[in-house]
Each structure stands twice: as C-alpha cells, then as structure tokens.
Amino acid sequence: MTGAEILVKSLKEEGVDTIFGYPGGVVLPIYDALYDADIRHILVRHEQGAAHAADGYARASGRTGVCLATSGPGATNLVTGIANAHMDSVPMVAITGQVVTKLLGRDSFQEADITGITLPITKHNYLVRDVGDIARTIKEAFYIASTGRPGPVLVDIPKDVSAGAGEYEDPGVLNLPGYRPVCSPRDEDLRAAARLILAAERPVIYAGGGVIISGADRELRALAELLCAPVTATLMGIGGFPADHPLYLGMLGMHGTRYANYAVCECDLLIAVGARFDDRVTGKVESFAPEAKIVHIDIDPAEIRKNVRVDVAVVGDVKKVLAGLMPMLSARVKGAWQEKIEAWKREYPLEYANGGKLKPQTVIREIYRVTGGRGRITTEVGQNQMWTAQFFPFTRPRSFITSGGLGTMGYGLPAAIGVQAACPDETVFDIAGDGSIQMNIQELMTAVNYNLPVNVAIINNGFLGMVRQWQELFYDRRYSHTELANPDFVKLAEAYGAKGVRVSKAADVADVLIDAVRTSGPVMMDFLVDGEENVIPIVPPGASLEEMIG
Amino acid sequence: MRHTLAVLVENNPGVLARVAGLFSRRGFNIDSLAVGTTENPTISRMTIVVEGDDLTLEQVEKQLHKLVDVIKINDLTSDEYVGREMVLIKVNAGPAERAEIMQIADIFRARIIDLGRRSVTIECTGDERKVRALEESLRPFGIKELVRTGKVAVLRGAKTTSLDGNGKNKKGEED
Ligand SMILES: Cc1ncc(C[n+]2csc(CCOP(=O)(O)OP(=O)(O)O)c2C)c(N)n1
Ligand SMILES: [Mg+2]
C-alpha cells in the first residue's frame, strides 16, 4: 500500500464519509487514493471554504469534520477556518500535504511551516515523517479532536510519506500519557455546587456551547425546571434550551435581552454551564454578576478562573455533571424572583419598529415561520448574525450554526454547505450579510456543483452594517469605508447556476421563502432592507451589562 | 512570586516551540527555561522559572496541561528542593588582578577554566543567590561576558518528580 492508501483506510476506520478538499502538487498521491475510494469528496472553490464546510458538517452532526488541502497556499488558506473551529471547540481534522521531507526547511516551492503556523490555533498538530506513523497519527488526531473539549487537529503529510510504501497496521490502543481529559466530576465538587444551589434565592443558569457539544440539553432543561431557574444562553449556547420555554431569557451580553442582562446583574447565584465568560458576555468584567456566587461547570479546567472569580468549580463533561447534580437538589417553586423576571420580560420585550422599508428582523421571523423552526440555520457575521440570534426562536441543539469566538465573515455559506452535506434531508438557510457573503461567494458554485440545496438569504442593507452601527453610535456617524457597492446578487446567482430572487416588500417575503424551500437546488435571495437599522439593545464596549442602550 | 516548575514532556520535535509559544502568547513571564532529556530518552524535562501571582500560576499550569506533549507538571516551589544554575563569567584581569580573582573564585568554590593575557573565565554552579553574589564580587573588575544555563532543580530526599515518582500529579490523579 502507499501512505495515501493507508491514510484513506485510516479515515474509513474513523467512519469518515465526507471530505471537503482542494487538490495540488503534494497531495496528488492522496487524491489518487481518493479516486476510487468510497469516501465522498466535495471539491470546494477555496480552501477556506473546505475548513468552514468541515466545521459546519461537524457542528450539525456532532461528528468530526475533515478537510484536505495542498501545501503552502492551500494550507495557509485553511488557517482562518482552523482558528474558527478552535475558538468554538469544533471537532475537525485538517489534513495538509507538505513538500518532500528532504526539502523541508529550505524554502522549497509551496513550502509553508503549517504546523508552526497553526500551533496556537489547533488542539494539537502533527508532521508525519514516516509511512509507518500514518495510521497511528490519524487515529490519535480523531481521538484528540473529538474527546474532552473538542477542537481542530492538523496532520501535515510530506509527499514522499504519502507516496511511500507501507502496510496498514491497526494502531491498537493509543498511548497518550499527556492527554487525559477529565470527564467525570468529583463528588466533593458536585456536593459543594449543590450546597450553593440549595442556598440560592435568585439563581440564573448561564448556558454555553458546552451544553450542545456534550448533548446535555435534556439535563439542562430538567435542572432548570427542577429549580425553576431562568436560563440565559450565550451565542454558542443558543438551541441548547428551547426558546419557547417560559424559563428562557434569550441571549445575554453585548446584544443580549434586557431581561437576561438584568437577571445576571441581580442574581445571587450564577450557574455557568459549558460557558467561558467571554468578554462579549461579561461586559466590564469587574462589575459582572456583582451580587452572585458563581458555580462554573466546564470540561476544560483552564477555563476555571481564567476570566472571572469562581466560588465552586466542577470540572467534567456537562452532561455528566448535570446528571450527577440532579439527585442532590430539591424542587423549587416560582417565587418573587421568577415574578420579577417575568415583569422585566413584559416590560422590555425584544422588539423592532415595523413599517416603512422592509426590516431585517421581518425576514428572519418569516424564515422561522416558513421553516416551522425545523431548519438548520447558519449565519454570517455582523448584524445579520445578531438579529438571527435575537429573533429566530431556536428550540433544538445544533440548529443554529454560527461563528462565535472568531466572528468570521464568510463562514455562513461554506458552513451551510457542510451542514447540508451532513443533513441531506433538512432545509438549510444561510442568513447572510451583503458584505460577508462576498467573502466566500465562490462556494455557491460548490453548492450548485453537488446540488446541495442551501438557501442564502442576504440581508442586504448596503453596509458593513455592524461596523456602520458602531460608527453611528461611537464615532459621530462618520461612515468611514462601510458603505458597500454590491454586485447584482440575482445575476450572480444565475451565473453560478443557482436561482436568484430579489425582494424589497415585506408582503413578498413569505412567498419567496416558500418557493425557495421547495426549489430542489440552491437559491440566493437578495432582501433589500432598511439600511440603517440597528441591533439593540447594545452594551457599549467596556461598559457593564446594565448600561445597555436601546 | 517566583515559581520553579518541573515539566515532563514528550521528547517530540517542536515541543519547545509549543511551550515557549504558549508563554509568550498568553503573556506569562518566563525568568528562565532549561531543557534536556531525562533518564528516559523519550521524555525531556523542562525546568521553568516563572513569575506570577497564584491565579497566573494556576493558568500557567492548566494551559501547559492542555498541550498534548506535556505529561506532568510539578511546582517545586512549595517543597524542599535543590536548584542549581551554572554561569560562565569572563572578567578583565591583567596579571595584577589575577590573584585576587582566584581568591574570590575560591571563596565561591568556582573554578578558573580559562586564562588569557587580559582575561580570566570562571565557571560557577550554585543556586541563584550564590551565582548573583559571585557576579557582584566580580563586577568591579569588569565583566566582559556572562552566560548562564537557567535553573535545573530536583526535590530533596527520596521524592522524585519523574513519571513514576510520588510527587503530586497535577493531571488530576495522585500517583
Ligand atoms: C473576516 C472579517 N473581516 C472583518 C470583520 C469585521 N466585521 C464585523 S461585522 C462586519 C460587517 C459585516 O457586514 P455584512 O456582512 O454586510 O453584515 P451586516 O452587519 O450588515 O449584517 C465587519 C466588517 C469580521 N468580523 N470578519
Ligand atoms: Mg450588510
């Protein structure tokens, strides 16, 4: 066998059914092995698209996403996608070709030190120097990527290694003395957490992406209902708790709901579940949850006390921790705290002023209505993303797929392609911005090529809207380089072989969406919306949560 | 406060870059770092002297543990340990000063390892205090060059920090 054949066999052993990739010189042996392998390969149009598609595939399915690129520029084009997956703890294996081992370190043609470059943005990475190491390395890569706190692992394979001769040998049991993720919580930590929870009068649960990654949505709901505790979610936690549940507060933080932020400011116990106290969540960290004791539940011990003080930490898999906590707790009933929160909810609902020009929020609400909330939604980054988080009531985990930690414009379309590849029978929407969509617009061709019927809903405000909003609020309306000249998105869609539609009236939105969902191929919709609509409320950068404006 | 960490790592290419990169990227201050293989050739030991408060140290250890190549970390600071570094100091010394310099070297149990017409090179091993004291004593003669290894350290007594040692294993389990 060649090294490349061993690689393909190893990928099959891991259950890989789809690879997103792009060929080049040093991955020729790998592409040759893929020629008649029974793994689906989706040829993207830019390697960044491959990384985001693998990421979307992973977030939608929970399985490890795989992308493949050649050395040098192919590998560096993956970098944004790898960093994106790293920030959001997405299980991914990125395979890159490398120049032959004897040319390493000589600035050879298309040589880039991709293991060096990705050191800070991977969970781990490898440069494979021997055919005999391929099978074990691939097994380790998948194990590391998918266990503990998941993340991307890069495997760099020089051409002589993939072309070299060897035999596939089952790597057997892995020996990784430096990698032992803690999954089961310690009993004494559970008891300490339970004591604080039992003593609390005004608890709030703050749920992050860890709930979804660990599949703990049922346990979270059971805990919230037992304690009658309101639940607020981070951007990554959306979908981990049903948005239509009476205990749900929506998102907290910079663009959180007023009632979520007020609840955090006034609670006496904050139970952080699989969340990491990101600065977009905490605002001014010194005044975050000023009256609360904090219980922090997370699988990554390094997250404990990284950003905020913590009273009780429980390290372990969120699902196991919550399951372990339940029997130690007793049921609570609604009281003054819950009533106070309900009053806030009535007083400060998330709203927007409808009327006049088509509003972005209307388009998002209609996508919810038309899909019956059952679709999978990706977003780009900016206002489009925040409005989706605010106005689309997600009720299922893995249905909202967005670039959180890195905030990568250009994520949504390739991610939607990955989601559609993982969930062929579901309706997939990319809720896009007119700026972001142009960052990976070329992937529309991939969708057409493989007949992946993704629906792209461009919230076309003619601006880099989120940046314009900051300029309006914090830079005296000086719109420096944020007004966009855009292509004709309808014609562009048609040029790619997709369906294109333009909508400017609220009355037409539903029909166009219904038609798009029924169309068997990709559709790109250009929604011409009010250009200067803002995302509110907003906590100004550096301010405390209660200092929201709007 | 300064802490001395004994870090056992897989002897893989790139492991030094992983550790050093982690410190610089997260803004942790390394005072010194010494690395070499251990009694087991597949495992290297890094002795890292790092400055920081308790919260910083907690982060340093936890972030280090996230590196797959890091097997075990011991903070020796709270224990009885022996720490040593070596310096080579080249000082200005004409024939007139030599005797005095040799005397100083004697007092510090340092050795003269090279003698030129205008210079003397001294080797000294010891803890930080001793090495610093020697440096101060030699400064009046004019130090032309000074090079130090960074600290290496072991626990006192029968305790060890090697893989099968009985030190605390910060990966969560007691050995
Ligand atoms: C790759 C990248 N470059 C720059 C930014 C900074 N940025 C954040 S939001 C935004 C504007 C996005 O514009 P658009 O896609 O039209 O979305 P809108 O906010 O208008 O909905 C920019 C430039 C980013 N997040 N990602
Ligand atoms: Mg826009």
Side-chain angles (χ1 to χ4, degrees):
Chain A
M1 285 171 95
T2 65
E5 286 164 346
I6 296 174
L7 169 68
V8 170
K9 163 104 173 107
S10 305
L11 294 173
K12 294 286 300 175
E13 288 293 316
E14 296 299 328
V16 173
D17 60 8
T18 307
I19 296 178
F20 302 90
Y22 208 88
V26 297
V27 285
L28 275 165
I30 299 176
Y31 272 85
D32 194 57
L34 285 173
Y35 187 66
D36 40 22
D38 125 54
I39 292 184
R40 170 169 61 159
H41 177 278
I42 293 179
L43 178 72
V44 293
R45 270 27 179 201
H46 183 301
E47 290 88 349
Q48 184 184 350
H52 291 328
D55 172 314
Y57 175 97
R59 291 194 210 211
S61 67
R63 297 196 297 272
T64 301
V66 182
C67 55
L68 168 62
T70 193
S71 66
T76 55
N77 273 350
L78 291 178
V79 167
T80 302
I82 293 171
N84 188 73
H86 189 245
M87 286 292 248
D88 289 347
S89 309
V90 178
M92 178 194 287
V93 170
I95 299 164
T96 48
Q98 183 53 280
V99 301
V100 296
T101 43
K102 73 170 201 299
L103 289 183
L104 275 168
R106 295 167 190 240
D107 304 320
S108 313
F109 177 63
Q110 293 192 328
E111 179 183 3
D113 173 13
I114 197 64
T115 47
I117 290 169
T118 59
L119 215 65
I121 54 164
T122 49
K123 188 169 171 188
H124 194 49
N125 63 25
Y126 295 89
L127 171 60
V128 185
R129 290 173 176 272
D130 194 288
V131 194
D133 292 338
I134 293 177
R136 184 186 44 80
T137 306
I138 292 299
K139 188 164 180 182
E140 286 185 12
F142 277 81
Y143 177 66
I144 292 171
S146 62
T147 53
R149 178 179 182 174
V153 176
L154 179 132
V155 181
D156 198 24
I157 310 178
K159 187 179 186 185
D160 53 326
V161 175
S162 59
E167 277 320 311
Y168 176 84
E169 264 178 57
D170 186 339
V173 181
L174 297 178
N175 172 31
L176 290 164
Y179 181 71
R180 283 174 284 169
V182 181
C183 291
S184 299
R186 297 195 309 192
D187 225 43
E188 66 250 48
D189 295 341
L190 287 175
R191 277 197 300 273
R195 271 196 299 279
L196 280 191
I197 294 171
L198 287 170
E201 282 172 5
R202 302 187 307 278
V204 166
I205 298 173
Y206 143 53
V211 171
I212 291 164
I213 294 169
S214 109
D217 48 301
R218 287 228 193 114
E219 289 76 4
L220 176 65
R221 184 170 174 166
L223 177 76
E225 287 175 352
L226 181 76
L227 300 174
C228 210
V231 178
T232 177
T234 67
L235 186 66
M236 302 313 299
I238 286 178
F241 191 81
D244 51 5
H245 196 288
L247 286 169
Y248 191 55
L249 297 175
M251 187 166 70
L252 80 165
M254 182 172 275
H255 291 299
T257 61
R258 274 193 175 262
Y259 38 95
N261 286 341
Y262 285 155
V264 169
C265 290
E266 291 197 14
C267 67
D268 69 348
L269 179 72
L270 189 69
I271 310 171
V273 186
R276 60 183 176 84
F277 298 90
D278 178 82
D279 53 283
R280 283 291 194 263
V281 160
T282 61
K284 188 176 173 194
V285 72
E286 296 77 16
S287 50
F288 178 69
E291 297 174 22
K293 293 221 185 303
I294 295 180
V295 172
H296 192 179
I297 300 168
D298 204 280
I299 197 163
D300 182 355
E303 289 303 341
I304 312 295
R305 281 183 288 276
K306 187 181 78 180
N307 295 340
V308 298
R309 73 203 150 74
V310 168
D311 297 281
V312 172
V314 190
V315 174
D317 181 73
V318 165
K319 192 181 176 90
K320 287 190 180 163
V321 175
L322 297 187
L325 265 178
M326 287 296 281
M328 300 181 178
L329 303 171
S330 48
R332 290 294 193 90
V333 289
K334 228 162 104 169
W337 174 235
Q338 287 77 6
E339 273 156 26
K340 188 167 196 182
I341 284 172
E342 277 167 19
W344 280 332
K345 278 181 152 180
R346 282 191 300 272
E347 198 173 342
Y348 309 107
L350 260 187
E351 284 178 323
Y352 65 98
N354 213 343
K357 287 196 189 140
L358 175 61
K359 294 289 179 176
Q361 299 93 328
T362 303
V363 177
I364 289 162
R365 279 264 151 101
E366 286 298 304
I367 294 174
Y368 171 74
R369 244 176 26 88
V370 166
T371 55
R374 281 182 301 276
R376 306 262 188 169
I377 310 293
T378 71
T379 72
E380 300 293 339
V381 166
Q383 294 180 312
N384 57 86
Q385 176 186 37
M386 290 300 123
W387 283 317
T388 306
Q390 292 180 330
F391 289 94
F392 195 111
F394 291 94
T395 52
R396 292 178 309 137
R398 303 189 181 281
S399 56
F400 177 53
I401 289 167
T402 197
S403 166
L406 199 66
T408 311
M409 290 172 68
Y411 172 77
L413 175 56
I417 288 171
V419 173
Q420 189 78 77
C423 313
D425 301 326
E426 297 190 47
T427 300
V428 179
F429 268 86
D430 170 26
I431 297 180
D434 48 331
S436 300
I437 193 63
Q438 296 184 65
M439 286 217 174
N440 274 316
I441 187 80
Q442 76 287 344
E443 298 310 326
L444 194 54
M445 195 61 234
T446 310
V448 169
N449 192 168
Y450 293 89
N451 197 29
L452 297 164
V454 298
N455 302 291
V456 182
I458 303 176
I459 307 295
N460 187 348
N461 52 13
F463 280 105
L464 297 170
M466 186 58 92
V467 183
R468 184 208 56 75
Q469 174 172 340
W470 283 48
Q471 289 171 334
E472 176 184 336
L473 298 177
F474 311 123
Y475 290 87
D476 214 11
R477 283 183 187 264
R478 289 157 56 87
Y479 293 168
S480 179
H481 305 284
T482 44
E483 196 171 344
L484 285 172
N486 285 324
D488 181 330
F489 287 116
V490 172
K491 280 191 187 151
L492 192 59
E494 286 165 357
Y496 277 118
K499 190 163 165 180
V501 209
R502 181 164 299 116
V503 187
S504 55
K505 290 207 292 286
D508 299 336
V509 175
D511 286 346
V512 166
L513 289 171
I514 291 168
D515 192 54
V517 171
R518 288 198 186 131
T519 305
S520 60
V523 181
M524 192 151 84
M525 289 150 275
D526 184 16
F527 292 101
L528 302 180
V529 300
D530 193 347
E532 294 192 53
E533 183 73 12
N534 284 338
V535 180
I536 50 163
I538 174 172
V539 177
S544 306
L545 292 188
E546 77 266 16
E547 298 174 83
M548 282 160 287
I549 44 182
Chain B
M1 189 180 154
R2 289 172 98 196
H3 290 251
T4 302
L5 305 181
V7 183
L8 292 173
V9 300
E10 302 262 9
N11 194 8
N12 288 338
V15 63
L16 181 59
R18 287 181 203 277
V19 170
L22 173 72
F23 274 78
S24 69
R25 141 172 114 248
R26 294 210 178 252
F28 304 142
N29 291 319
I30 298 191
D31 280 0
S32 75
L33 188 157
V35 55
T37 50
T38 60
E39 67 281 2
N40 176 347
T42 68
I43 291 173
S44 288
R45 175 152 156 176
M46 296 184 179
T47 308
I48 306 176
V49 180
V50 53
E51 172 81 47
D53 58 18
D54 289 353
L55 269 183
T56 311
L57 254 289
E58 181 180 337
Q59 269 297 305
V60 168
E61 289 192 28
K62 285 172 165 178
Q63 294 294 347
L64 275 172
H65 262 313
K66 286 177 74 166
L67 299 177
V68 173
D69 285 338
V70 170
I71 304 169
K72 190 173 171 182
I73 302 169
N74 264 271
D75 187 347
L76 304 180
T77 320
S78 57
D79 244 315
E80 287 283 309
Y81 73 95
V82 195
R84 291 285 180 272
E85 62 180 331
M86 187 174 91
V87 278
L88 302 178
I89 308 176
K90 188 177 286 187
V91 277
N92 287 322
E97 289 94 24
R98 268 190 204 158
E100 197 182 339
I101 288 172
M102 285 165 122
Q103 236 176 17
I104 292 172
D106 254 3
I107 293 168
F108 285 92
R109 274 183 278 151
R111 299 194 302 150
I112 308 287
I113 52 169
D114 188 49
L115 211 58
R117 271 190 347 113
R118 292 161 190 283
S119 72
V120 173
T121 303
I122 297 159
E123 170 199 313
C124 176
T125 303
D127 61 16
E128 289 161 81
R129 286 217 320 272
K130 172 174 163 184
V131 168
R132 206 174 322 119
L134 173 65
E135 187 185 335
E136 287 315 312
S137 310
L138 293 173
R139 193 174 298 283
F141 299 94
I143 294 176
K144 290 160 72 84
E145 205 175 341
L146 185 151
V147 50
R148 46 165 44 105
T149 55
K151 179 153 85 177
V152 293
V154 286
L155 289 173
R156 285 193 187 274
K159 268 192 183 173
T160 69
T161 59
S162 57
L163 274 188
D164 43 7
N166 55 4
K168 189 81 153 308
N169 179 341
K170 291 279 171 52
K171 277 237 143 125
E173 303 122 52
E174 297 275 342
D175 291 321

